[in-house]
Amino acid sequence: MRASLAWLREMVPGSESDVDTAHRLTMLGLEVEGIEKVEGDTVFEINVTPNRPDCLSIIGIARELSAALGTPLNFPEHEVNGNTGELDFNIDILNPALCRRYAGRIVKGLKIGPSPDWLKLRLEKSGIRSINNVVDVTNYVLIELGHPLHAFDLGTIKGHRIQVGTSGDVKGKAERLRFRTLDGLERELLSDALLIWDAERPIAIAGIMGGGETEVSDSTTDIFIESAWFDPVSVRRTAKATGLKTEASFRFERGTDIKMLKKALDRAAFLMHEIAGGKVYGKIDIYPGQLPPAKIIISAEKINSVLGLDLPETQIIRYLNDLGFVVEEGKGCLNITPPAYRVDVQGGADIIEEIARTYGYERIPAVLPMASVGIETQDNSQKAFSESLLKELKESFLKSGFTEVINYSFMGDQDLDLLGIDRSDLRHLLKVPIKNPLRLEDTYMRTMLVPALIRNIVYNVSHDNRAFKLFEISRVFSGSKDEKLPEHKYHFAAALYKEKTRSLYKDDTNDFFVVKGIIEALLEALKIRDYSFGRSVEPFLHPGQSADLFISGSKTGFVGALSPVIVERLDIKAHGPSIVLAEFDIDFLRPYAMQVIKYRPLPKYPGSERDTALVVDESIASSKIVALLKEFDSDLIEDITLFDVYKGKNIPDGKKSIAFSIRYRAADRTLTDDDVETLHNRIVGFICEKTNGQVRS
Amino acid sequence: MIDDLKEKFLNELESVISPADLFQLRVNYLGKKGHLTSALKALSSATPDERPLLGKKINDVKQFVEAHIASKEAAFKNEELKKQLLAGAIDITLPGKYAAFGKEHPINQVLFEITDIFVKMGFSVEEGPEVETDYYNFEALNFPKDHPARDMQDTFFVSDDIVLRTHTSPVQVRGMEKRKPPVRFIAPGKVYRCDADITHTPMFHQVEGLMVDKDITFSNLKGILEAFLHQMFGPDTRVRFRPSFFPFTEPSAEVDIGCILCGGSGCRVCKNSGWLEILGAGMVNPAVFKNVGYDTEIYTGFAFGMGIERIAMLKYAIDDIRLFYENDIRFLRQF
């Protein structure tokens, strides 16, 4: 809302500086967001919150200033001498629920023309373009008194009659209508739209916009001015459905002052007579929806106890009176009637706010509460554990050089298509669609995190970042048939990007093992025992350098090199970069992470180690050897370590050498060399037999 | 004779320059045919009167020789070790095998800082869904359907009834439904609005806070938020509460801090007002309490909410919100 200070001063005289007035308004809840100097005047840009439609006018803001300054309000002149002649004109409200009051005046013999400069300038300051003197007056009164008016060309209204109702009210059957508004556009109306009709047809969309056929034109001489109250919800629904947002609809949908409408009508007639001449006829005022004034009952004690103040009742009453509230003192309470323009004041809390505002938020002391000591419920301690899991996860990747990213929760089909994820994959099928995305690429909520990390890689490489590690912890979403809301799951994803670079220190570890190693260390740290890796089936990973992560036999994630086929599709100008991706479901890990730690006694007797290298078929996974050792299941095996995998010289084609070390230890005695030797030979024999392997000589 | 031997040994020791020389010297004096061995053998030919004295003298010299040889030997060993260590020297000015730590995203750093302050004041941490029902996101918070207050938040819709939460406030309702007063929690998380420009991203972060008990006052709201803002921005930070509107609080307040960039004298960031809007807050609207079944006669409470991006932008003097979501590693590594 743009408000001219000179205009405000006409209603509330004063000599405060514009900056001081701006501060005063801000502290009253009418935040001044901008101060503009215009031709010797100051215009405030005021952010009027949706609860205060009364302040979408000069009079409304002036009322606030008047109450705060204790200066009486000058209401603009609006008395018209309009009792001339008999009127042959009828108004019928067919739907009093949606139109509680409808008033109008006829003015005949006007001369349409340009508005005087002072009027043009005031409208301009308020951000409204001048059209002609009649339309300008309706807009002027809208800004001044906050009540929207509409002027019809009387000559175009058929049958000397106005009807207010929906298509159903007027025609006996609800139907969708097409209607040409005065901006020249044909609009499709919902069947429940409230309309203004003459004897034959709709002539305006109530509270939103008039029709083209009854518009005031240069040749108009007689007009009908409408000033009415329309139901906020009805206006809003129709405005939304037609996509029309006007100064009028903006006010009607927030709630207008049902009492003010009469004064606004008179003020408009007064000004039209002054500016465009003509003869003002008597007022027609139909008011079927008169409601008893709302009464709010609240005690001074309650007001003080919510605010943390100790104001005397007299002071509270004075504050309310200054704001136009009528207060009667009851038994230990106050019976308060708010003024008609304060449509926002409906309950005790609203009264409390008025008192706080008037007293001044700044003056209320800041006091820390006396609070009871909280008890962590079961539910919360469970969550605290989850938080520690997240913390552990985050820390391990941060300390391993991974930097955290946060991506939008959106994705598009292109993201999954790039990765070659089949349309029948759950990550496609369970996508949660957004009806009004900002971009087509952001049509769904994410079902996985890796696509965004790939975008981060492309972005960074194109900005000449050549080596980096990223991770993200965010929710993914999957639609659910049974639940109203989609399933929210926390996922973890990491990406490592590296180009061949010259480096001071040599480290030729395949990056797959770098990422896998951190995941393994993490799982160990979380005391998750039952995990395993198997060759990945993800279509976007290098089939030879990727693994799926299983917890207790269920797939819960993957780690692997991005398939070279997909790397080629990315806009990356680098030769053969190393890109390793990982993603897993954190929520799935939670139940497997061991929360209770139990001490195991330290060994009392010395252990003994034996190393062996076996030559086996290349196809035998090292995990197979470990699995066999576990399968052998001897109490004396304490630990197994793989320390070398070798292919090449001295090893036949199609074979590889795997070297491992086993540590033996008994809990109750020192093992003799013979014990160990015998056991180790048996184990090696067992593995050789199962893998068709041979001890490497 | 034996007296001269000491002198002679010292002279010869002087000319020893290698471990080999020293070995030879040891043989010459302490070996089977060495001077001292010979002198001891000759002792038998001395008279019984002379023998004790002579014997003692020879032993003294022997100990003297042994000690000097041992010390010389140690000196050689030490020298050898020094040589070895020198040979093993590396260029310590070369950079280490740098294990750069990663950085937490600045938004999460600020989020943690804020959460930590409230946790220390006894607030627990609550979470809620990001894809939310219209009921929790709007209705229960006193945003009726077809109410203009809904225009305050451009909403992403999944269906007519399901939205991407536009604020963390629905967690207030879910949190209260779960427990009876006293209630004291914060709810950090992602929120979504259909808006994108230099100061808006379609996804951003908020922290919501709620405290409900008997006798909780507006004055307490000011107390808690001032304590928070002084922790967050420094004890001298000026704090200003002014009336505002949120459907779920009444009275409602907008909370400003004195501009941390210009100190209040007016700058581009504070639009010359000297103040920065940092929080929305207010006393829980009784309509919300009714929706969760709390007795409005017994309980009062306050709620507040803040945008993390805005706080992070102020804290680090970042002028474009989109930087947070471009995830340029050169940006992220600065925090």
Side-chain angles (χ1 to χ4, degrees):
Chain A
M1 167 82 195
R2 290 168 60 84
S4 142
L5 182 59
W7 203 344
L8 287 169
R9 288 263 163 81
E10 273 178 20
M11 301 188 197
V12 189
S15 54
E16 220 175 24
S17 79
D18 49 7
V19 175
D20 287 347
T21 303
H23 178 252
R24 184 181 294 284
L25 289 170
T26 295
M27 297 314 287
L28 286 168
L30 296 165
E31 185 192 2
V32 176
E33 290 184 315
I35 301 177
E36 202 183 309
K37 305 267 183 194
V38 186
E39 298 184 26
D41 189 6
T42 301
V43 177
F44 297 135
E45 179 66 51
I46 300 175
N47 174 16
V48 178
T49 52
N51 61 325
R52 293 301 302 271
D54 61 305
C55 288
L56 292 169
S57 61
I58 301 296
I59 189 90
I61 298 164
R63 268 189 306 241
E64 288 286 311
L65 282 176
S66 151
L69 294 164
T71 312
L73 187 72
N74 300 329
F75 199 88
E77 194 174 356
H78 61 283
E79 293 296 325
V80 276
N81 185 9
N83 298 327
T84 40
E86 277 295 300
L87 274 176
D88 174 23
F89 202 84
N90 292 309
I91 294 173
D92 295 309
I93 298 177
L94 304 178
N95 194 327
L98 300 186
C99 176
R100 282 168 46 204
R101 187 177 190 182
Y102 194 104
R105 270 188 190 275
I106 285 167
V107 185
K108 286 187 174 171
L110 291 156
K111 198 172 159 10
I112 304 287
S115 292
D117 287 346
W118 66 266
L119 177 56
K120 278 188 189 166
L121 186 61
R122 282 219 165 150
L123 288 179
E124 210 173 276
K125 284 180 194 169
S126 308
I128 290 173
R129 197 166 48 90
S130 168
I131 294 168
N132 61 47
N133 48 7
V134 168
V135 175
D136 285 359
V137 164
T138 60
N139 283 331
Y140 183 86
V141 175
L142 169 96
I143 298 299
E144 187 178 51
L145 302 181
H147 201 91
L149 304 170
H150 184 67
F152 295 93
D153 181 337
L154 184 66
T156 62
I157 298 178
K158 295 184 179 166
H160 306 279
R161 184 170 182 210
I162 290 279
Q163 306 177 81
V164 188
T166 64
S167 58
D169 299 327
V170 176
K171 300 179 131 187
K173 129 172 172 286
E175 59 181 16
R176 295 173 80 98
L177 296 169
R178 294 188 72 79
F179 179 70
R180 194 169 64 82
T181 40
L182 55 75
D183 56 8
L185 296 176
E186 276 271 312
R187 304 199 180 254
E188 170 106 24
L189 302 172
L190 294 179
S191 56
D192 63 356
L194 184 69
L195 303 174
I196 310 301
W197 311 65
D198 61 14
E200 296 171 10
R201 58 184 176 158
I203 56 171
I205 310 174
I208 300 172
M209 194 179 268
E213 288 171 23
T214 52
E215 186 183 4
V216 172
S217 69
D218 290 348
S219 56
T220 302
T221 54
D222 304 341
I223 59 162
F224 171 75
I225 313 169
E226 164 199 284
S227 184
W229 184 95
F230 299 119
D231 177 62
V233 171
S234 165
V235 171
R236 181 171 163 84
R237 284 177 52 108
T238 305
K240 280 221 136 176
T242 51
L244 268 170
K245 190 176 172 180
T246 60
E247 291 281 347
S249 70
F250 190 74
R251 286 168 175 79
F252 278 120
E253 64 182 49
R254 278 161 176 73
T256 49
D257 179 358
I258 203 160
K259 283 190 177 158
M260 178 68 82
L261 71 81
K262 198 173 72 177
K263 284 182 185 168
L265 180 63
D266 290 350
R267 173 72 172 155
F270 170 86
L271 286 171
M272 272 183 207
H273 177 72
E274 292 274 298
I275 291 164
K279 201 167 172 189
V280 179
Y281 284 78
K283 182 160 51 192
I284 311 167
D285 184 1
I286 315 290
Y287 194 174
Q290 202 154 357
L291 301 175
K295 268 224 165 72
I296 298 165
I297 299 168
I298 190 170
S299 66
E301 190 196 343
K302 176 74 180 171
I303 293 171
N304 279 319
S305 77
V306 170
L307 295 177
L309 291 175
D310 193 16
L311 302 176
E313 195 177 78
T314 49
Q315 193 175 350
I316 288 170
I317 294 171
R318 185 164 44 93
Y319 284 171
L320 290 170
N321 287 339
D322 285 349
L323 288 166
F325 291 67
V326 177
V327 185
E328 292 164 45
E329 282 178 75
K331 273 185 197 145
C333 66
L334 303 171
N335 297 320
I336 302 163
T337 309
Y341 51 83
R342 290 302 302 273
V343 293
D344 61 311
V345 179
Q346 289 167 354
D350 304 309
I351 298 294
I352 295 171
E353 180 169 81
E354 291 308 299
I355 301 304
R357 223 161 54 83
T358 310
Y359 180 74
Y361 278 20
E362 289 158 295
R363 291 168 66 197
I364 298 174
V367 178
L368 284 170
M370 306 285 282
S372 38
V373 174
I375 301 159
E376 284 290 283
T377 60
Q378 178 64 30
D379 185 44
N380 281 344
S381 71
Q382 193 63 33
K383 207 172 59 214
F385 172 70
S386 304
E387 277 158 17
S388 74
L389 185 148
L390 283 179
K391 208 174 145 197
E392 185 95 52
L393 172 60
K394 205 166 180 171
E395 285 298 311
S396 42
F397 276 85
L398 284 173
K399 293 295 180 247
S400 306
F402 286 74
T403 288
E404 188 182 32
V405 296
I406 303 179
N407 286 291
Y408 295 144
S409 302
F410 313 124
M411 68 169 194
D413 280 330
Q414 79 287 343
D415 284 314
L416 300 183
D417 290 346
L418 171 75
L419 297 184
I421 291 174
D422 198 86
R423 292 277 164 159
S424 64
D425 190 296
L426 289 180
R427 288 171 291 200
H428 255 301
L429 293 177
L430 300 181
K431 290 175 303 196
V432 176
I434 297 162
K435 279 168 79 181
N436 54 336
L438 283 176
R439 309 182 314 154
L440 202 61
E441 298 93 303
D442 296 334
T443 308
Y444 303 103
M445 297 304 278
R446 290 197 279 184
T447 52
M448 62 191 299
L449 303 182
V450 147
L453 289 185
I454 293 175
R455 268 184 266 127
N456 296 150
I457 290 175
V458 174
Y459 180 91
N460 273 291
V461 174
S462 75
H463 288 77
D464 222 21
N465 302 321
R466 299 282 166 186
F468 49 84
K469 296 180 246 181
L470 311 172
F471 77 94
E472 180 169 9
I473 297 174
S474 277
R475 279 162 155 178
V476 297
F477 306 84
S478 48
S480 161
K481 283 226 155 62
D482 312 324
E483 298 290 326
K484 204 168 178 192
L485 293 178
E487 192 180 5
H488 292 52
K489 281 191 292 193
Y490 272 105
H491 268 208
F492 169 88
L496 180 154
Y497 178 90
K498 204 170 76 188
E499 290 175 18
K500 283 205 175 63
T501 46
R502 282 173 295 187
S503 157
L504 215 43
Y505 308 105
K506 300 285 163 278
D507 180 359
D508 56 2
T509 314
N510 186 318
D511 290 319
F512 167 81
F513 293 112
V514 172
V515 180
K516 185 180 180 229
I518 305 167
I519 295 173
E520 286 166 325
L522 173 77
L523 294 170
E524 294 292 335
L526 294 172
K527 307 211 161 24
I528 295 174
R529 295 276 152 74
D530 193 8
Y531 70 85
S532 61
F533 290 90
R535 285 226 178 266
S536 176
V537 295
E538 294 292 358
F540 49 89
L541 297 178
H542 186 309
Q545 301 182 6
S546 61
D548 284 345
L549 167 63
F550 297 86
I551 308 268
S552 192
S554 298
K555 178 175 168 178
T556 184
F558 58 80
V559 51
L562 183 60
S563 159
V565 182
I566 289 167
V567 176
E568 205 147 286
R569 285 185 213 156
L570 302 176
D571 186 20
I572 288 181
K573 288 183 187 65
H575 184 69
S578 165
I579 301 178
V580 174
L581 302 169
E583 176 158 353
F584 57 81
D585 178 346
I586 300 171
D587 289 337
F588 191 84
L589 297 187
R590 277 186 182 137
Y592 295 96
M594 226 167 60
Q595 298 173 50
V596 183
I597 296 172
K598 249 194 182 157
Y599 151 82
R600 263 174 303 146
L602 300 179
K604 289 196 181 95
Y605 299 92
S608 184
E609 272 181 36
R610 291 293 183 276
D611 298 347
T612 294
L614 293 181
V615 177
V616 295
D617 270 358
E618 224 177 301
S619 62
I620 290 183
S622 58
S623 63
K624 173 80 178 163
I625 308 280
V626 177
L628 284 170
L629 286 167
K630 285 195 172 138
E631 190 186 318
F632 190 83
D633 196 27
S634 163
D635 285 350
L636 301 178
I637 299 176
E638 184 181 69
D639 198 19
I640 303 153
T641 315
L642 292 173
F643 64 87
D644 189 43
V645 177
Y646 174 77
K647 275 190 284 193
K649 223 177 135 189
N650 298 330
I651 303 293
D653 270 359
K655 302 271 182 187
K656 66 179 171 188
S657 154
I658 295 181
F660 55 86
S661 168
I662 304 178
R663 190 163 62 243
Y664 299 95
R665 196 196 302 270
D668 53 352
R669 68 201 142 98
T670 302
L671 290 173
T672 65
D673 271 0
D674 275 356
D675 290 343
V676 174
E677 209 58 44
T678 314
L679 179 58
H680 188 70
N681 286 339
R682 271 178 56 216
I683 290 175
V684 170
F686 172 74
I687 294 172
C688 284
E689 184 198 317
K690 294 277 184 184
T691 59
N692 232 343
Q694 279 183 322
V695 176
R696 188 178 167 191
S697 45
Chain B
M1 225 278 292
I2 190 72
D3 300 326
D4 296 344
L5 201 57
K6 211 171 178 178
E7 196 77 5
K8 179 177 150 70
F9 170 75
L10 282 176
N11 277 334
E12 286 176 24
L13 184 66
E14 199 118 306
S15 54
V16 162
I17 52 163
S18 72
D21 292 350
L22 186 66
F23 181 76
Q24 194 54 54
L25 187 69
R26 181 201 288 272
V27 171
N28 291 350
Y29 282 82
L30 301 169
K32 278 180 184 162
K33 292 173 183 166
H35 301 306
L36 283 161
T37 323
S38 312
L40 279 170
K41 278 180 186 163
L43 197 59
S44 56
S45 56
T47 63
D49 292 349
E50 290 168 332
R51 217 178 278 164
L53 188 65
L54 188 59
K56 187 177 181 299
K57 264 189 180 171
I58 293 170
N59 265 324
D60 283 352
V61 175
K62 194 181 173 197
Q63 275 170 24
F64 177 83
V65 166
E66 275 170 350
H68 274 79
I69 285 177
S71 113
K72 191 72 182 178
E73 209 166 40
F76 278 130
K77 263 197 185 151
N78 205 10
E79 221 167 276
E80 182 57 27
L81 183 65
K82 263 191 196 155
K83 251 190 228 162
Q84 273 176 20
L85 290 178
L86 203 63
I90 51 173
D91 179 358
I92 51 91
T93 62
L94 282 174
K97 187 173 174 183
Y98 190 53
F101 297 153
K103 292 294 177 71
E104 191 177 27
H105 195 283
I107 290 299
N108 278 338
Q109 288 188 34
V110 172
L111 198 68
F112 177 78
E113 198 178 341
I114 293 168
T115 305
D116 198 44
I117 294 171
F118 283 106
V119 166
K120 282 174 181 157
M121 290 198 280
F123 286 74
S124 62
V125 180
E126 189 72 28
E127 244 182 18
E130 292 168 37
V131 181
E132 186 54 286
T133 60
D134 182 276
Y135 176 77
Y136 284 108
N137 196 73
F138 291 123
E139 292 268 14
L141 290 164
N142 198 32
F143 286 84
K145 280 220 161 69
D146 295 311
H147 193 277
R150 291 201 176 195
D151 289 348
M152 293 164 87
Q153 304 179 352
D154 292 320
T155 310
F156 282 115
F157 289 93
V158 169
S159 67
D160 287 345
D161 195 32
I162 308 287
V163 300
L164 303 193
R165 68 173 175 193
T166 54
H167 47 185
T168 40
S169 309
V171 189
Q172 280 185 34
V173 181
R174 288 182 176 274
M176 283 191 279
E177 280 180 350
K178 274 203 267 182
R179 46 169 88 72
K180 293 273 152 246
V183 170
R184 203 181 344 164
F185 63 75
I186 56 164
K190 288 173 180 162
V191 299
Y192 303 86
R193 289 189 200 171
C194 210
D195 202 356
D197 59 36
I198 190 166
T199 50
H200 298 89
T201 47
M203 181 188 91
F204 56 102
H205 295 74
Q206 285 186 339
V207 172
E208 189 82 7
L210 178 72
M211 180 162 186
V212 181
D213 204 344
K214 290 168 188 162
D215 305 323
I216 295 292
T217 66
F218 189 87
S219 179
N220 295 152
L221 167 65
K222 286 189 73 175
I224 288 279
L225 289 183
E226 272 195 23
F228 162 69
L229 291 167
H230 286 161
Q231 276 283 310
M232 190 74 198
F233 295 103
D236 299 326
T237 308
R238 290 176 302 137
V239 178
R240 178 175 90 167
F241 286 71
R242 60 186 161 79
S244 189
F245 168 71
F246 307 103
F248 45 101
T249 52
E250 188 81 22
S252 298
E254 203 77 66
V255 186
D256 303 333
I257 57 168
C259 182
I260 53 177
L261 295 164
C262 64
S265 56
C267 67
R268 194 181 53 84
V269 175
C270 64
K271 291 182 197 145
N272 283 316
S273 70
W275 294 97
L276 296 168
E277 204 173 296
I278 212 99
L279 274 153
M283 301 304 288
V284 178
N285 193 316
V288 177
F289 279 155
K290 278 184 193 129
N291 288 331
V292 298
Y294 282 10
D295 189 335
T296 57
E297 290 300 310
I298 302 174
Y299 297 109
T300 50
F302 60 73
F304 56 85
M306 65 193 102
I308 308 309
E309 277 74 0
R310 176 163 173 77
I311 294 177
M313 286 171 84
L314 292 171
K315 189 176 156 91
Y316 302 119
I318 294 167
D319 55 6
D320 185 343
I321 192 172
R322 291 170 297 199
L323 280 167
F324 290 122
Y325 298 103
E326 274 168 4
N327 292 308
D328 189 316
I329 195 86
R330 293 165 301 175
F331 172 77
L332 298 173
R333 280 182 184 149
Q334 292 179 32
F335 301 96

